[in-house]
Amino acid sequence: MATTTISQNQMRGGGFLIAASRPEDVFTPADLNDDQRLIGQTAKEFVDKEVLPLVSDLEQHKPGLLPQLLKKAGEIGLLSGGIAEAYGGSELDKVSATVLAEKLAGYASFAVSHGGHAGIGTVPITYFGTEEQKKKYLPKIATGELLSCYCLSEPQAGSDALAARTRATLSADGKHWILNGQKMWITNGGFADVYVVFAKIDGDKFSCFIVERGFPGFSVGAEEKKMGLKGSSTVPIFFENCQVPKENLLHEAGRGHIVAFNTLNAGRFSLGAYCMGGAKMIIETASKYAKERTAFGKPIADFGMIREKLAEMAIRSYAVESMVYRSAGMIEAAMSAPHENKTQQAMQVLEEYAIESSISKVLGSELVDYCVDEAVQIFGGYGFHEDYPVARAYRDSRVNRIFEGTNEINRMLIIQMLMKRAMGGVLPLIPAAMKLAEEVLSGPSMEEGSEGEWAEEERSVANAKKIFLLASGAAVQRFREKLADEQEIVGALANIVMEVYGMESSLLRAQKASAARGNSASVMLDAARAFNYGAAGRVEQEARTALAATVDGDMLRTQLSVLRRFAKREPVDVIGLRRRVAAAVLAGDRYPFEGR
Ligand SMILES: Cc1cc2nc3c(=O)[nH]c(=O)nc-3n(C[C@H](O)[C@H](O)[C@H](O)COP(=O)(O)OP(=O)(O)OC[C@H]3O[C@@H](n4cnc5c(N)ncnc54)[C@H](O)[C@@H]3O)c2cc1C
């Protein structure tokens, strides 16, 4: 399958599965400009100086403290990035917004509160508000004078959000929507002023409303007793004949799902960035501890199995960071293209890169979970003690796999969206699969035998793409429109998609760094190689599992022999690569590829 090389600016969402990219076309952290770096520095300083000293009070829910901190963040512009300048916002580009999110991750409860307000609590009004609604709410949301939240989930409707039971009916005088029902798990709900609420008009038209705290019939329940994120506010909200002015309908009646799902697309991408920031910070904590703690007469950082953990935390963080910034660069390029209607453009772009947003969410959340788990292990018994920082990080990280669409739902979305794009002809997956079938029949090609420093890695990325086409092609042929019911196969295919994106993004970044900085990028190359090798093995395994559940007999044997051909690799000394990455982590007590 000869892939076409394509600039990232022209890359369609999901296009990485069939087109090849050049290193110079991907955005990487080394490309951050001074302004973007400054935003990251400001956010980090805010968390270090204003938030972290108050963690103990925040975890005890000291009244008024969290809203006060959010307002303080608003005073220095940390809440207004998603709002246009015309409404008092700073209208940050996507890359800046990504840097901001990751640098706020130092205290997860603050990061999630920030996302609840400046992300999912703001996006619906920004993209779907009328001029009056935007003028009324956005300038105050930008400064934090009004704090906001997003109310979609209900006790009986989480993943299945459209099963919401909250109802809205128009009052007899036609002046108000009357809301009845309950929302659940609302981040910032305990103190917010503005609530973006989803309810069904007359019990069937799913719609969205802007509700203010003071509206009659509105009330807030008690704080939930959570496993983690104890510093954030999570409450149920009740509507008892709640009167919402007619003009507070957001977007159109019966079109609430458009508001809900586009908002979640944006939220998912940022959640991946928050998680990645959290993972990088825990590497720092774990590295410092590993050098301080001694056992058997030496620092535990001298032990190979501890070094291996630090290295793998850094390698996986590197892969997620490479993907997140590559996606941010593509989204920003698409957003900044000329367009007469910027709001419409933003929504189109969000939809275009919905696959990449789901990848960011799933891999970011799984990365931070992996890192905090390994950090607890490095801390040993002290990792299990609340006086040490990793216990809280461990509890805080778990929910990331649950909210903003569970990782199961996002895995299904990745494949659903790909299939929709393939069937609609937006993404030429079908021609690519047919081309692959021809290639399989004609035997090994010259392309498979290419040479050069990166030949092995480039081949394994190209082959991983072919493996996806092989396994997904077989699954589509066998199950057709019923593929969605074969969830385990869908999950395996989604895992391959994510590995492919990770393999290619880390490789392109390393190649770009190597071209720019030569030998000083050598540890990054080690990380890219180690990730690539591990991911190629996982791709093969997932494909084997999917194929064995899809076909049998001679057909299975044939498919597995094709899989073996594409999965063939020269052995790599992964232990040696990890040792070099671990040495770099320990040398600086930090994630070694920051801003590079
Ligand atoms: C701390 C916290 C903060 C939150 N903040 C907000 C907020 O600000 N606003 C808001 O609206 N919501 C919020 N939520 C709610 C969150 O979005 C939901 O918890 C989440 O969407 C999952 O819904 P659920 O809890 O009902 O689980 P369920 O939907 O019941 O899911 C249970 C399990 O079943 C799986 N499952 C469900 N459907 C399928 C399927 N079709 N196929 C395969 N597996 C499936 C899920 O993946 C999960 O593993 C928050 C939740 C928490 C815990």
Side-chain angles (χ1 to χ4, degrees):
M1 184 188 69
T3 48
T4 337
T5 302
I6 198 158
S7 142
Q8 295 298 286
N9 297 353
Q10 299 152 2
M11 182 67 87
R12 306 287 321 233
F16 63 87
L17 280 168
I18 40 178
S21 297
R22 292 170 307 191
E24 60 271 29
D25 286 330
V26 292
F27 189 90
T28 74
D31 302 315
L32 291 170
N33 63 32
D34 289 347
D35 288 346
Q36 290 162 338
R37 286 174 199 263
L38 186 63
I39 285 164
Q41 198 183 321
T42 309
K44 184 168 179 346
E45 275 173 20
F46 182 82
V47 174
D48 289 348
K49 290 191 184 142
E50 306 287 346
V51 182
L52 291 180
L54 301 174
V55 164
S56 161
D57 283 343
L58 286 163
E59 296 268 305
Q60 305 293 324
H61 275 288
K62 186 173 173 190
L65 186 55
L66 181 56
Q68 197 183 311
L69 274 179
L70 282 168
K71 286 175 197 294
K72 220 171 190 173
E75 282 165 19
I76 57 164
L78 296 180
L79 301 183
S80 66
I83 298 176
E85 282 174 7
Y87 306 103
S90 52
E91 213 172 332
L92 286 186
D93 64 89
K94 192 68 181 175
V95 173
S96 300
T98 306
V99 182
L100 175 66
E102 73 150 308
K103 295 302 169 199
L104 287 174
Y107 178 49
S109 289
F110 182 77
V112 79
S113 312
H114 180 270
H117 168 86
I120 54 178
T122 299
V123 165
I125 304 179
T126 312
Y127 290 157
F128 299 96
T130 60
E131 192 53 30
E132 290 70 33
Q133 288 168 342
K134 289 187 198 178
K135 275 191 190 142
K136 179 170 179 193
Y137 293 107
L138 290 180
K140 291 181 178 169
I141 287 178
T143 59
E145 187 181 337
L146 291 179
L147 294 173
S148 65
C149 61
Y150 177 83
C151 312
L152 177 64
S153 305
E154 298 189 2
Q156 308 300 330
S159 303
D160 187 10
L162 298 184
R165 294 180 187 175
T166 301
R167 289 174 67 103
T169 45
L170 201 56
S171 61
D173 62 6
K175 289 187 176 156
H176 289 94
W177 295 103
I178 307 297
L179 264 58
N180 278 290
Q182 177 186 345
K183 292 289 162 182
M184 174 106 190
W185 305 117
I186 305 310
T187 300
N188 296 347
F191 54 76
D193 309 283
V194 177
Y195 295 72
V196 174
V197 177
F198 294 85
K200 285 182 177 164
I201 294 177
D202 301 330
D204 63 355
K205 289 189 273 306
F206 194 74
S207 308
C208 185
F209 303 85
I210 305 174
V211 179
E212 293 179 25
R213 173 173 274 265
F215 288 170
F218 171 94
S219 63
V220 170
E223 287 291 339
E224 304 292 356
K225 296 188 179 70
K226 296 171 298 197
M227 176 200 288
L229 292 185
K230 288 180 188 287
S232 73
S233 166
T234 314
V235 294
I237 308 287
F238 302 98
F239 308 96
E240 220 179 315
N241 291 324
C242 176
Q243 292 178 36
V244 178
K246 192 174 174 221
E247 62 273 16
N248 278 27
L249 173 73
L250 188 57
H251 200 41
E252 295 161 29
R255 305 273 294 161
H257 59 290
I258 304 288
V259 183
F261 298 143
N262 276 298
T263 303
L264 288 176
N265 266 346
R268 277 171 196 151
F269 184 81
S270 310
L271 183 65
Y274 287 116
C275 288
M276 170 187 74
K280 292 197 285 183
M281 282 169 208
I282 210 77
I283 292 173
E284 194 175 316
T285 311
S287 172
K288 284 182 186 149
Y289 184 82
K291 287 209 292 213
E292 283 161 14
R293 176 71 178 170
T294 55
F296 302 95
K298 48 179 161 172
I300 61 167
D302 285 0
F303 298 126
M305 286 200 205
I306 297 295
R307 287 179 164 246
E308 184 176 48
K309 291 184 196 311
L310 291 170
E312 201 50 33
M313 287 156 80
I315 290 165
R316 294 188 192 196
S317 299
Y318 167 73
V320 172
E321 189 183 53
S322 306
M323 285 182 259
V324 166
Y325 278 101
R326 178 183 178 187
S327 303
M330 288 195 293
I331 295 174
E332 183 46 34
M335 291 268 197
S336 47
H339 197 289
E340 64 217 16
N341 183 337
K342 280 293 181 189
T343 306
Q344 205 180 53
Q345 178 185 37
M347 297 209 325
Q348 282 164 358
V349 174
L350 278 181
E351 199 187 334
E352 181 70 42
Y353 296 106
I355 293 166
E356 285 76 6
S357 295
S358 284
I359 294 178
S360 167
K361 193 274 169 181
V362 172
L363 293 185
S365 61
E366 293 180 3
L367 167 74
V368 69
D369 248 11
Y370 172 81
C371 289
V372 294
D373 185 72
E374 288 294 54
V376 167
Q377 197 66 16
I378 290 172
F379 270 68
Y382 297 97
F384 205 63
H385 196 295
E386 288 293 340
D387 284 354
Y388 290 79
V390 292
R392 193 185 70 232
Y394 183 86
R395 287 187 285 95
D396 284 352
S397 112
R398 186 60 183 82
V399 74
N400 292 305
R401 284 160 55 195
I402 296 170
F403 54 28
E404 306 263 356
T406 65
N407 285 11
E408 289 75 24
I409 296 290
N410 272 290
R411 281 187 161 84
M412 288 190 291
L413 282 175
I414 289 171
I415 297 303
Q416 257 173 37
M417 291 184 287
L418 272 173
M419 293 305 151
K420 192 173 151 202
R421 308 193 107 213
M423 298 304 170
V426 178
L427 203 62
L429 275 173
I430 299 168
M434 285 160 65
K435 213 166 181 178
L436 179 71
E438 281 168 28
E439 182 189 327
V440 166
L441 287 174
S442 62
S445 69
M446 289 300 288
E447 195 185 358
E448 285 177 53
S450 66
E451 299 290 329
E453 190 196 349
W454 293 99
E456 190 64 18
E457 283 72 24
E458 284 170 353
R459 202 166 26 238
S460 75
V461 172
N463 282 341
K465 295 182 187 189
K466 292 176 188 173
I467 291 174
F468 172 73
L469 290 176
L470 178 77
S472 60
V476 170
Q477 252 184 1
R478 162 84 200 272
F479 301 108
R480 298 188 180 271
E481 64 283 356
K482 297 227 174 349
L483 176 59
D485 297 338
E486 305 294 323
Q487 286 201 348
E488 303 92 321
I489 297 176
V490 170
L493 295 177
N495 288 341
I496 299 175
V497 171
M498 294 190 286
E499 296 288 3
V500 167
Y501 198 46
M503 288 166 84
E504 188 177 67
S505 305
S506 4
L507 179 60
L508 291 169
R509 176 173 169 197
Q511 289 173 318
K512 189 173 182 180
S514 172
R517 299 197 302 277
N519 221 15
S520 69
S522 68
V523 185
M524 188 182 280
L525 308 194
D526 293 336
R529 287 210 155 100
F531 182 81
N532 189 295
Y533 191 72
R538 293 190 292 272
V539 165
E540 183 184 4
Q541 187 55 44
E542 295 285 7
R544 185 177 294 277
T545 306
L547 284 170
T550 303
V551 287
D552 53 16
D554 281 349
M555 179 59 97
L556 177 59
R557 274 186 285 279
T558 310
Q559 296 278 41
L560 290 181
S561 79
V562 176
L563 172 62
R564 269 194 300 278
R565 173 176 145 200
F566 291 140
K568 213 168 89 195
R569 288 214 56 181
E570 291 298 316
V572 169
D573 174 16
V574 178
I575 292 178
L577 296 174
R578 286 197 191 121
R579 283 182 181 165
R580 288 197 285 277
V581 175
V585 171
L586 287 160
D589 275 333
R590 64 192 180 95
Y591 168 71
F593 311 118
E594 185 67 29
R596 300 172 58 201

